[in-house]
């Protein structure tokens, strides 16, 4: 769980800015089980690049893709994180507000209830 939080916080905690990310169509691939989802999250090595604005858009898009792939129990909080990061990406400064940071932390904690 600590590794998952570190990975998610590392990605979510980056100073971000952004282009509005496009949403992808839901995957026709069957969703992973909760256990498989947690393993997937622990091994996720996504690293955004570019400016803070570009990174926010990339993270929002990545979270969207992950949410479409994993079990609904962990996918729902990740979808919320994707939505938050897309808001960050669309902001003039591309940086998270204190409220957005708190919302991301809340969603990470929800994931932590399943991925221990």
């Amino acid at each position: 769980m600590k590794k998952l939080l570190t990975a998610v916080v590392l990605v979510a905690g980056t100073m971000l800015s952004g282009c509005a990310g496009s949403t992808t169509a839901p995957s026709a691939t069957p969703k992973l089980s909760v256990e498989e989802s947690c393993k997937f999250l622990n091994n996720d090595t996504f690293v955004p690049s570019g400016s803070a604005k570009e990174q926010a858009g990339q993270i929002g898009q990545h979270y969207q893709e992950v949410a479409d792939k994993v079990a609904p129990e962990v996918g729902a909080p990740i979808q919320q994180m994707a939505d938050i990061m897309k808001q960050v990406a669309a902001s003039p400064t591309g940086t998270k507000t204190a409220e957005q940071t708190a919302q991301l932390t809340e969603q990470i904690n929800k994931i932590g209830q399943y991925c221990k």
Side-chain angles (χ1 to χ4, degrees):
M1 179 59 207
K2 191 169 199 155
K3 184 177 177 184
L4 166 68
L5 285 177
T6 301
V8 173
V9 170
L10 175 65
V11 172
T14 308
M15 292 301 281
L16 303 169
S17 183
C19 54
S22 61
T23 58
T24 57
S27 173
T29 307
K31 302 244 182 198
L32 299 172
S33 70
V34 171
E35 183 179 330
E36 292 168 329
S37 296
C38 293
K39 286 180 185 176
F40 175 80
L41 294 173
N42 279 322
N43 292 317
D44 187 12
T45 59
F46 174 78
V47 177
S49 61
S51 69
K53 232 172 162 30
E54 293 167 333
Q55 288 182 18
Q58 291 168 19
I59 291 168
Q61 180 65 35
H62 180 69
Y63 285 169
Q64 178 72 57
E65 292 168 2
V66 170
D68 291 342
K69 186 181 292 188
V70 298
E73 294 88 344
V74 293
I78 294 171
Q79 179 61 57
Q80 290 294 317
M81 292 170 68
D83 294 342
I84 293 164
M85 291 311 301
K86 289 175 186 176
Q87 291 171 1
V88 172
S91 73
T93 62
T95 57
K96 293 178 291 185
T97 64
E99 181 180 346
Q100 288 168 324
T101 300
Q103 291 170 343
L104 288 166
T105 300
E106 179 182 342
Q107 299 310 312
I108 291 168
N109 290 337
K110 287 180 183 179
I111 296 167
Q113 293 173 3
Y114 293 98
C115 300
K116 298 179 181 186

mmCIF file of all heavy atoms in Angstrom, residues 46-83:
data_model
loop_
_atom_site.group_PDB
_atom_site.id
_atom_site.type_symbol
_atom_site.label_atom_id
_atom_site.label_comp_id
_atom_site.label_asym_id
_atom_site.label_seq_id
_atom_site.Cartn_x
_atom_site.Cartn_y
_atom_site.Cartn_z
ATOM 1 N N PHE A 46 4.048 5.132 -14.785
ATOM 2 C CA PHE A 46 3.791 6.321 -15.597
ATOM 3 C C PHE A 46 4.494 7.544 -15.022
ATOM 4 O O PHE A 46 4.432 7.809 -13.826
ATOM 5 C CB PHE A 46 2.283 6.590 -15.671
ATOM 6 C CG PHE A 46 1.946 7.885 -16.360
ATOM 7 C CD1 PHE A 46 1.985 7.966 -17.733
ATOM 8 C CD2 PHE A 46 1.611 9.002 -15.626
ATOM 9 C CE1 PHE A 46 1.690 9.160 -18.373
ATOM 10 C CE2 PHE A 46 1.305 10.205 -16.254
ATOM 11 C CZ PHE A 46 1.344 10.281 -17.634
ATOM 12 N N VAL A 47 5.176 8.285 -15.901
ATOM 13 C CA VAL A 47 5.837 9.527 -15.511
ATOM 14 C C VAL A 47 5.477 10.567 -16.569
ATOM 15 O O VAL A 47 5.787 10.389 -17.747
ATOM 16 C CB VAL A 47 7.371 9.357 -15.437
ATOM 17 C CG1 VAL A 47 8.044 10.669 -15.093
ATOM 18 C CG2 VAL A 47 7.750 8.272 -14.445
ATOM 19 N N PRO A 48 4.829 11.652 -16.160
ATOM 20 C CA PRO A 48 4.487 12.694 -17.130
ATOM 21 C C PRO A 48 5.728 13.475 -17.549
ATOM 22 O O PRO A 48 6.747 13.455 -16.858
ATOM 23 C CB PRO A 48 3.520 13.583 -16.343
ATOM 24 C CG PRO A 48 3.937 13.420 -14.930
ATOM 25 C CD PRO A 48 4.414 11.986 -14.810
ATOM 26 N N SER A 49 5.618 14.178 -18.665
ATOM 27 C CA SER A 49 6.741 14.987 -19.130
ATOM 28 C C SER A 49 6.220 16.323 -19.642
ATOM 29 O O SER A 49 5.019 16.528 -19.772
ATOM 30 C CB SER A 49 7.493 14.247 -20.244
ATOM 31 O OG SER A 49 6.627 14.025 -21.341
ATOM 32 N N GLY A 50 7.142 17.203 -19.922
ATOM 33 C CA GLY A 50 6.772 18.506 -20.459
ATOM 34 C C GLY A 50 6.545 19.534 -19.372
ATOM 35 O O GLY A 50 6.961 19.358 -18.223
ATOM 36 N N SER A 51 5.855 20.588 -19.755
ATOM 37 C CA SER A 51 5.567 21.671 -18.817
ATOM 38 C C SER A 51 4.548 21.197 -17.776
ATOM 39 O O SER A 51 3.929 20.143 -17.931
ATOM 40 C CB SER A 51 4.984 22.868 -19.568
ATOM 41 O OG SER A 51 3.682 22.549 -20.049
ATOM 42 N N ALA A 52 4.388 21.990 -16.756
ATOM 43 C CA ALA A 52 3.415 21.644 -15.712
ATOM 44 C C ALA A 52 2.028 21.485 -16.316
ATOM 45 O O ALA A 52 1.273 20.578 -15.949
ATOM 46 C CB ALA A 52 3.415 22.706 -14.618
ATOM 47 N N LYS A 53 1.673 22.338 -17.249
ATOM 48 C CA LYS A 53 0.375 22.267 -17.915
ATOM 49 C C LYS A 53 0.224 20.949 -18.677
ATOM 50 O O LYS A 53 -0.802 20.299 -18.613
ATOM 51 C CB LYS A 53 0.247 23.450 -18.874
ATOM 52 C CG LYS A 53 -1.003 24.234 -18.673
ATOM 53 C CD LYS A 53 -0.951 25.491 -19.515
ATOM 54 C CE LYS A 53 -2.259 26.133 -19.724
ATOM 55 N NZ LYS A 53 -3.273 26.016 -18.743
ATOM 56 N N GLU A 54 1.255 20.582 -19.388
ATOM 57 C CA GLU A 54 1.241 19.323 -20.139
ATOM 58 C C GLU A 54 1.172 18.128 -19.186
ATOM 59 O O GLU A 54 0.457 17.159 -19.449
ATOM 60 C CB GLU A 54 2.472 19.217 -21.030
ATOM 61 C CG GLU A 54 2.489 20.228 -22.158
ATOM 62 C CD GLU A 54 3.839 20.343 -22.854
ATOM 63 O OE1 GLU A 54 4.883 20.077 -22.236
ATOM 64 O OE2 GLU A 54 3.829 20.734 -24.027
ATOM 65 N N GLN A 55 1.896 18.194 -18.102
ATOM 66 C CA GLN A 55 1.902 17.098 -17.130
ATOM 67 C C GLN A 55 0.515 16.889 -16.530
ATOM 68 O O GLN A 55 0.071 15.750 -16.389
ATOM 69 C CB GLN A 55 2.918 17.365 -16.020
ATOM 70 C CG GLN A 55 4.349 17.231 -16.489
ATOM 71 C CD GLN A 55 5.343 17.463 -15.369
ATOM 72 O OE1 GLN A 55 4.999 17.397 -14.196
ATOM 73 N NE2 GLN A 55 6.580 17.740 -15.727
ATOM 74 N N ALA A 56 -0.173 17.956 -16.196
ATOM 75 C CA ALA A 56 -1.516 17.829 -15.627
ATOM 76 C C ALA A 56 -2.447 17.123 -16.608
ATOM 77 O O ALA A 56 -3.210 16.235 -16.228
ATOM 78 C CB ALA A 56 -2.069 19.201 -15.257
ATOM 79 N N GLY A 57 -2.374 17.506 -17.855
ATOM 80 C CA GLY A 57 -3.200 16.866 -18.874
ATOM 81 C C GLY A 57 -2.859 15.392 -19.038
ATOM 82 O O GLY A 57 -3.744 14.543 -19.155
ATOM 83 N N GLN A 58 -1.571 15.093 -19.030
ATOM 84 C CA GLN A 58 -1.134 13.700 -19.168
ATOM 85 C C GLN A 58 -1.588 12.864 -17.984
ATOM 86 O O GLN A 58 -2.017 11.726 -18.144
ATOM 87 C CB GLN A 58 0.386 13.634 -19.295
ATOM 88 C CG GLN A 58 0.926 14.202 -20.586
ATOM 89 C CD GLN A 58 2.439 14.375 -20.549
ATOM 90 O OE1 GLN A 58 3.127 13.772 -19.737
ATOM 91 N NE2 GLN A 58 2.956 15.220 -21.434
ATOM 92 N N ILE A 59 -1.483 13.419 -16.784
ATOM 93 C CA ILE A 59 -1.897 12.682 -15.590
ATOM 94 C C ILE A 59 -3.401 12.444 -15.605
ATOM 95 O O ILE A 59 -3.862 11.343 -15.311
ATOM 96 C CB ILE A 59 -1.445 13.417 -14.315
ATOM 97 C CG1 ILE A 59 0.080 13.349 -14.207
ATOM 98 C CG2 ILE A 59 -2.106 12.825 -13.073
ATOM 99 C CD1 ILE A 59 0.663 14.268 -13.149
ATOM 100 N N GLY A 60 -4.171 13.464 -15.946
ATOM 101 C CA GLY A 60 -5.618 13.293 -16.045
ATOM 102 C C GLY A 60 -5.982 12.204 -17.038
ATOM 103 O O GLY A 60 -6.842 11.352 -16.769
ATOM 104 N N GLN A 61 -5.314 12.205 -18.180
ATOM 105 C CA GLN A 61 -5.566 11.185 -19.202
ATOM 106 C C GLN A 61 -5.158 9.798 -18.705
ATOM 107 O O GLN A 61 -5.870 8.820 -18.907
ATOM 108 C CB GLN A 61 -4.814 11.531 -20.493
ATOM 109 C CG GLN A 61 -5.021 10.541 -21.615
ATOM 110 C CD GLN A 61 -6.457 10.500 -22.094
ATOM 111 O OE1 GLN A 61 -7.142 11.514 -22.115
ATOM 112 N NE2 GLN A 61 -6.927 9.332 -22.460
ATOM 113 N N HIS A 62 -4.011 9.725 -18.046
ATOM 114 C CA HIS A 62 -3.531 8.435 -17.532
ATOM 115 C C HIS A 62 -4.506 7.889 -16.490
ATOM 116 O O HIS A 62 -4.858 6.705 -16.524
ATOM 117 C CB HIS A 62 -2.129 8.582 -16.937
ATOM 118 C CG HIS A 62 -1.580 7.302 -16.385
ATOM 119 N ND1 HIS A 62 -1.224 6.239 -17.189
ATOM 120 C CD2 HIS A 62 -1.357 6.908 -15.113
ATOM 121 C CE1 HIS A 62 -0.795 5.243 -16.426
ATOM 122 N NE2 HIS A 62 -0.864 5.621 -15.153
ATOM 123 N N TYR A 63 -4.928 8.742 -15.573
ATOM 124 C CA TYR A 63 -5.897 8.299 -14.564
ATOM 125 C C TYR A 63 -7.177 7.799 -15.226
ATOM 126 O O TYR A 63 -7.765 6.816 -14.794
ATOM 127 C CB TYR A 63 -6.219 9.426 -13.594
ATOM 128 C CG TYR A 63 -5.155 9.742 -12.574
ATOM 129 C CD1 TYR A 63 -5.256 10.894 -11.795
ATOM 130 C CD2 TYR A 63 -4.046 8.927 -12.358
ATOM 131 C CE1 TYR A 63 -4.297 11.207 -10.844
ATOM 132 C CE2 TYR A 63 -3.088 9.236 -11.416
ATOM 133 C CZ TYR A 63 -3.220 10.379 -10.661
ATOM 134 O OH TYR A 63 -2.277 10.687 -9.722
ATOM 135 N N GLN A 64 -7.616 8.480 -16.274
ATOM 136 C CA GLN A 64 -8.827 8.062 -16.994
ATOM 137 C C GLN A 64 -8.639 6.665 -17.568
ATOM 138 O O GLN A 64 -9.512 5.807 -17.433
ATOM 139 C CB GLN A 64 -9.126 9.056 -18.119
ATOM 140 C CG GLN A 64 -10.342 8.684 -18.944
ATOM 141 C CD GLN A 64 -11.619 8.882 -18.184
ATOM 142 O OE1 GLN A 64 -11.874 9.982 -17.728
ATOM 143 N NE2 GLN A 64 -12.405 7.854 -18.001
ATOM 144 N N GLU A 65 -7.501 6.429 -18.196
ATOM 145 C CA GLU A 65 -7.219 5.124 -18.790
ATOM 146 C C GLU A 65 -7.139 4.033 -17.721
ATOM 147 O O GLU A 65 -7.651 2.931 -17.920
ATOM 148 C CB GLU A 65 -5.920 5.186 -19.596
ATOM 149 C CG GLU A 65 -6.043 6.048 -20.837
ATOM 150 C CD GLU A 65 -4.711 6.360 -21.505
ATOM 151 O OE1 GLU A 65 -3.657 5.878 -21.033
ATOM 152 O OE2 GLU A 65 -4.726 7.107 -22.500
ATOM 153 N N VAL A 66 -6.519 4.349 -16.596
ATOM 154 C CA VAL A 66 -6.417 3.383 -15.504
ATOM 155 C C VAL A 66 -7.797 3.084 -14.932
ATOM 156 O O VAL A 66 -8.148 1.926 -14.693
ATOM 157 C CB VAL A 66 -5.455 3.884 -14.400
ATOM 158 C CG1 VAL A 66 -5.519 3.008 -13.165
ATOM 159 C CG2 VAL A 66 -4.024 3.939 -14.942
ATOM 160 N N ALA A 67 -8.596 4.116 -14.729
ATOM 161 C CA ALA A 67 -9.943 3.933 -14.174
ATOM 162 C C ALA A 67 -10.781 3.018 -15.061
ATOM 163 O O ALA A 67 -11.584 2.223 -14.557
ATOM 164 C CB ALA A 67 -10.633 5.282 -14.004
ATOM 165 N N ASP A 68 -10.590 3.117 -16.358
ATOM 166 C CA ASP A 68 -11.331 2.274 -17.297
ATOM 167 C C ASP A 68 -10.890 0.816 -17.251
ATOM 168 O O ASP A 68 -11.621 -0.061 -17.686
ATOM 169 C CB ASP A 68 -11.171 2.799 -18.731
ATOM 170 C CG ASP A 68 -11.871 4.124 -18.958
ATOM 171 O OD1 ASP A 68 -12.754 4.493 -18.146
ATOM 172 O OD2 ASP A 68 -11.528 4.806 -19.952
ATOM 173 N N LYS A 69 -9.704 0.566 -16.728
ATOM 174 C CA LYS A 69 -9.108 -0.766 -16.753
ATOM 175 C C LYS A 69 -9.308 -1.552 -15.458
ATOM 176 O O LYS A 69 -9.435 -2.773 -15.480
ATOM 177 C CB LYS A 69 -7.604 -0.606 -17.033
ATOM 178 C CG LYS A 69 -6.848 -1.884 -17.227
ATOM 179 C CD LYS A 69 -5.365 -1.613 -17.471
ATOM 180 C CE LYS A 69 -5.170 -0.928 -18.796
ATOM 181 N NZ LYS A 69 -3.776 -0.799 -19.202
ATOM 182 N N VAL A 70 -9.307 -0.865 -14.333
ATOM 183 C CA VAL A 70 -9.289 -1.532 -13.034
ATOM 184 C C VAL A 70 -10.694 -1.816 -12.510
ATOM 185 O O VAL A 70 -11.678 -1.347 -13.072
ATOM 186 C CB VAL A 70 -8.488 -0.705 -11.993
ATOM 187 C CG1 VAL A 70 -7.030 -0.574 -12.422
ATOM 188 C CG2 VAL A 70 -9.114 0.659 -11.765
ATOM 189 N N ALA A 71 -10.743 -2.568 -11.413
ATOM 190 C CA ALA A 71 -12.017 -2.911 -10.775
ATOM 191 C C ALA A 71 -12.755 -1.633 -10.375
ATOM 192 O O ALA A 71 -12.126 -0.641 -10.002
ATOM 193 C CB ALA A 71 -11.761 -3.771 -9.534
ATOM 194 N N PRO A 72 -14.074 -1.650 -10.441
ATOM 195 C CA PRO A 72 -14.861 -0.458 -10.103
ATOM 196 C C PRO A 72 -14.583 0.098 -8.706
ATOM 197 O O PRO A 72 -14.624 1.306 -8.505
ATOM 198 C CB PRO A 72 -16.309 -0.937 -10.207
ATOM 199 C CG PRO A 72 -16.266 -2.133 -11.096
ATOM 200 C CD PRO A 72 -14.916 -2.757 -10.888
ATOM 201 N N GLU A 73 -14.273 -0.771 -7.768
ATOM 202 C CA GLU A 73 -14.013 -0.323 -6.396
ATOM 203 C C GLU A 73 -12.839 0.644 -6.327
ATOM 204 O O GLU A 73 -12.852 1.590 -5.538
ATOM 205 C CB GLU A 73 -13.737 -1.522 -5.471
ATOM 206 C CG GLU A 73 -14.910 -2.438 -5.277
ATOM 207 C CD GLU A 73 -15.030 -3.546 -6.331
ATOM 208 O OE1 GLU A 73 -14.386 -3.453 -7.412
ATOM 209 O OE2 GLU A 73 -15.776 -4.505 -6.080
ATOM 210 N N VAL A 74 -11.806 0.399 -7.121
ATOM 211 C CA VAL A 74 -10.663 1.311 -7.154
ATOM 212 C C VAL A 74 -10.748 2.258 -8.348
ATOM 213 O O VAL A 74 -10.155 3.334 -8.332
ATOM 214 C CB VAL A 74 -9.308 0.559 -7.134
ATOM 215 C CG1 VAL A 74 -9.102 -0.144 -5.820
ATOM 216 C CG2 VAL A 74 -9.174 -0.394 -8.282
ATOM 217 N N GLY A 75 -11.506 1.875 -9.351
ATOM 218 C CA GLY A 75 -11.668 2.714 -10.534
ATOM 219 C C GLY A 75 -12.449 3.982 -10.265
ATOM 220 O O GLY A 75 -12.147 5.037 -10.833
ATOM 221 N N ALA A 76 -13.450 3.907 -9.385
ATOM 222 C CA ALA A 76 -14.269 5.092 -9.099
ATOM 223 C C ALA A 76 -13.424 6.220 -8.476
ATOM 224 O O ALA A 76 -13.501 7.367 -8.945
ATOM 225 C CB ALA A 76 -15.454 4.718 -8.211
ATOM 226 N N PRO A 77 -12.611 5.929 -7.463
ATOM 227 C CA PRO A 77 -11.758 7.008 -6.932
ATOM 228 C C PRO A 77 -10.737 7.509 -7.959
ATOM 229 O O PRO A 77 -10.444 8.711 -8.010
ATOM 230 C CB PRO A 77 -11.044 6.378 -5.737
ATOM 231 C CG PRO A 77 -11.839 5.179 -5.380
ATOM 232 C CD PRO A 77 -12.523 4.727 -6.627
ATOM 233 N N ILE A 78 -10.230 6.620 -8.785
ATOM 234 C CA ILE A 78 -9.263 7.035 -9.807
ATOM 235 C C ILE A 78 -9.950 7.923 -10.840
ATOM 236 O O ILE A 78 -9.373 8.902 -11.317
ATOM 237 C CB ILE A 78 -8.572 5.816 -10.450
ATOM 238 C CG1 ILE A 78 -7.716 5.105 -9.400
ATOM 239 C CG2 ILE A 78 -7.712 6.249 -11.649
ATOM 240 C CD1 ILE A 78 -7.157 3.773 -9.849
ATOM 241 N N GLN A 79 -11.200 7.615 -11.155
ATOM 242 C CA GLN A 79 -11.962 8.467 -12.074
ATOM 243 C C GLN A 79 -12.125 9.865 -11.474
ATOM 244 O O GLN A 79 -11.988 10.870 -12.174
ATOM 245 C CB GLN A 79 -13.327 7.857 -12.374
ATOM 246 C CG GLN A 79 -14.187 8.715 -13.301
ATOM 247 C CD GLN A 79 -13.541 8.929 -14.651
ATOM 248 O OE1 GLN A 79 -13.233 7.964 -15.345
ATOM 249 N NE2 GLN A 79 -13.330 10.180 -15.040
ATOM 250 N N GLN A 80 -12.402 9.918 -10.170
ATOM 251 C CA GLN A 80 -12.503 11.216 -9.498
ATOM 252 C C GLN A 80 -11.173 11.965 -9.593
ATOM 253 O O GLN A 80 -11.147 13.181 -9.820
ATOM 254 C CB GLN A 80 -12.905 11.025 -8.029
ATOM 255 C CG GLN A 80 -14.327 10.554 -7.837
ATOM 256 C CD GLN A 80 -15.331 11.604 -8.282
ATOM 257 O OE1 GLN A 80 -15.178 12.785 -8.002
ATOM 258 N NE2 GLN A 80 -16.345 11.165 -8.996
ATOM 259 N N MET A 81 -10.077 11.234 -9.425
ATOM 260 C CA MET A 81 -8.756 11.845 -9.527
ATOM 261 C C MET A 81 -8.510 12.363 -10.948
ATOM 262 O O MET A 81 -7.933 13.444 -11.129
ATOM 263 C CB MET A 81 -7.677 10.840 -9.122
ATOM 264 C CG MET A 81 -7.728 10.484 -7.641
ATOM 265 S SD MET A 81 -6.658 9.089 -7.198
ATOM 266 C CE MET A 81 -5.043 9.819 -7.454
ATOM 267 N N ALA A 82 -8.958 11.607 -11.943
ATOM 268 C CA ALA A 82 -8.822 12.048 -13.335
ATOM 269 C C ALA A 82 -9.576 13.350 -13.545
ATOM 270 O O ALA A 82 -9.054 14.292 -14.163
ATOM 271 C CB ALA A 82 -9.338 10.961 -14.285
ATOM 272 N N ASP A 83 -10.798 13.414 -13.013
ATOM 273 C CA ASP A 83 -11.608 14.623 -13.166
ATOM 274 C C ASP A 83 -10.941 15.824 -12.492
ATOM 275 O O ASP A 83 -10.921 16.929 -13.044
ATOM 276 C CB ASP A 83 -13.006 14.406 -12.596
ATOM 277 C CG ASP A 83 -13.808 13.365 -13.378
ATOM 278 O OD1 ASP A 83 -13.452 13.050 -14.537
ATOM 279 O OD2 ASP A 83 -14.802 12.859 -12.814
#
